[in-house]
Amino acid sequence: MTAGSDTDSVQTMDDQKKTRAELITEINQLRKRIATSQIDSMAAALAPETGKIPVHDQHLFNLNPIGLWEEDFSEVKALLKRQKGMNSDDFKRYFDENPDAIFDYIRRVRIININRKAYELLNFQSREALLENLSATFNDRSMKTFKNALLAITEEKQFYSEESELVCNDGHPIAVMMHFHFIHDLDKVILSVTDISKLKAVERQLKESENRFKALSEATAEAIFISEKGVCVDANEAASRMFGYALGEMVGMFGTDFIADESKELVKKNMLSGFLESYDALGLRKDGTTFHGEFHGRMFRYMGKNVRITAVRDISDRKLAELKLKESSRLQEMLLREVNHRVKNNLYAIAGILYKEKEQLARTLEPGQYVFIDDLIYRIETLSAVHSLLSASKWNPLDIRILVQELINRIFGDLIQQRMMEFEIDSSAIMIHSSQVQHLALVLNEILTNIKKYVSVSAESNPLRIQFKIRENRRFLEIEIQDNGKGFPEHVIQTPEMMQGIGFDLIFGIVQKSLGGTVELVNRNGALYKLTVRKSITEKINGGI
């Protein structure tokens, strides 16, 4: 049913949608009219004493409102007689096994005359034009009809009728009723062809109506109420089951009698205003129990009256599931906060232990001899900062730009404040799955830390510049990190895997093993890190996680 306003767009079901009985009556009337017109046309065309079209009646033949074909089947009869000993079943089997044999019979039909209606029906301008293109007017359906007409001849029938198709001059098929009248030993056959397009359209409408009725009958999950001025005038079996009333009891009750007190005002308001959207309300059963329902109403023209049709779906299970999901989400959130708190505490504890170890080493070693402790502390603090980002996002996918910005601020905050550092992030909103963020953060942390160590910044006039370019393609996430320093030493470019140090080991190890990608070091107006990461880290996001 099409939605419409209660006041301005009232549907007219009885005006626009014919009933099944009306459609059946119209089909029967059309069939009777077609049959009568074909019989009358043949009777008018033929002289009863000879079965021929008198010369003085040729004018009536041409003006007949039914398409008429006057044909000679004598050669067809002769060919059939050559098949000695074959009955109707034999011929049927023969034609089924040899479909091309039909063409041999068609070629033996001699067309004597065609009236005006016959060629105009197929959109031809003249008899000659139709005869020149006669083969193009046949399709598989009309070939089958001709075969059945031949079988009728073998059964010595005088008449044969069948719904069929012919192809018009413009190439589109037209539904027709073909009626064969076999006269005087097949010397003469009169074929009447009637356009039944309207009949087939009505039959399709009836079929669609029956399908709609069947679909509505089978859709018993929803209760359907039909009400006039707030009073129930009809309902379906699903409504009876849902509310616990017999159908006879429901007719005459007010619509609000089926609504719990908590929702009566809402339902009244929606009914009076012609509210068109679905809404939730509490339904009231006969036994006094209530349930959560989804209500959806429309105004229609029904049996000459303006009525409101309301569909009600019992959503108690959905509401219960929503409550359980809400409680589960609350518990998960509480558990996640506890886990996040403990992880951060553990990271802080590890960093605290390293600070203590650093203090001990500082008493016996030179400052440069325990710098590795500072590196470890910094990595742990980076993990803690990234963990805080993920916790804040509730472990949903994280925008890579937020991750890069966090690392830039942590590592270069002092230079940014002194205006000795500039950076640019050229990237769209690429989301990184939470399971990959820590790995990528460690890699970017090592790269940015190396840049800070090895790119000299002398004054505000020569600031450090870092540019991020991040792109997605079908298979990979591509990340380029460019600085404006002196670049890599040549031996690093040639054999990066030979580089010593935890930093490079982390970069290559994590990218290749954990992120399934590659690392390339290039000198191009400074040092350029080119990372590729398998697209699988973002595929889960697109899949709906």
Side-chain angles (χ1 to χ4, degrees), residues 255-266:
T256 51
D257 292 340
F258 304 101
I259 306 299
D261 291 340
E262 301 94 312
S263 300
K264 283 186 186 295
E265 289 303 319
L266 171 65

Side-chain angles (χ1 to χ4, degrees), residues 404 408 424-426 444 448 466-470 480-481:
V404 171
I408 289 285
E424 176 186 353
I425 303 174
D426 181 6
L444 297 180
L448 294 174
I466 299 177
Q467 183 180 40
F468 275 81
K469 288 185 179 179
I470 307 171
E480 292 188 0
I481 307 166

Side-chain angles (χ1 to χ4, degrees), residues 404-427:
V404 171
Q405 185 72 58
E406 174 68 19
L407 295 174
I408 289 285
N409 291 339
R410 281 183 49 76
I411 298 171
F412 299 102
D414 54 339
L415 294 181
I416 293 173
Q417 288 183 351
Q418 299 172 38
R419 300 180 182 275
M420 299 177 68
M421 190 266 185
E422 299 172 357
F423 70 93
E424 176 186 353
I425 303 174
D426 181 6
S427 172

Side-chain angles (χ1 to χ4, degrees), residues 218-223 236 238 241-242 312-314:
E218 292 176 350
T220 56
E222 290 186 343
N236 67 350
R241 292 192 299 270
M242 188 178 295
V312 183
R313 184 190 299 273
D314 187 341

